[in-house]
Amino acid sequence: MTTQNSLNARFQRALEAADLTVDELWLRYFSMGGEAGRFELDAYLNGAIALPPIQHDVVAHVINERLDEIAPPRAPYSDDFMQAGLESPTENGDEP
């Protein structure tokens, strides 16, 4: 069962993984239509105030976009090699 605490913990882990300062997060949040000020956002992130659900969703979206930006490279599938005109991932002699 998903609890408030587990969702809050997931949010905090995602925020930490995004590796954004409050200023960087606020700038992205504001540019996406977020309505809270920088100090309100900081207070929200520290649990001092609540934001309306739609504003939380904007913050979550900004964090998730950042996580997409910094995600490690994904491993190519064999189809990717075939589309590049290679027969197999090790055709050029490189070992995996």
Side-chain angles (χ1 to χ4, degrees), residues 24-37 41 58 62:
E24 292 167 333
L25 180 64
W26 179 80
L27 186 59
R28 290 170 179 244
Y29 163 80
F30 183 74
S31 71
M32 294 210 51
E35 297 176 357
L41 180 61
V58 175
V62 167

Side-chain angles (χ1 to χ4, degrees), residues 52-67:
I54 189 68
Q55 295 305 309
H56 165 86
D57 289 347
V58 175
V59 175
H61 187 75
V62 167
I63 291 168
N64 289 332
E65 279 194 346
R66 173 64 178 156
L67 293 173

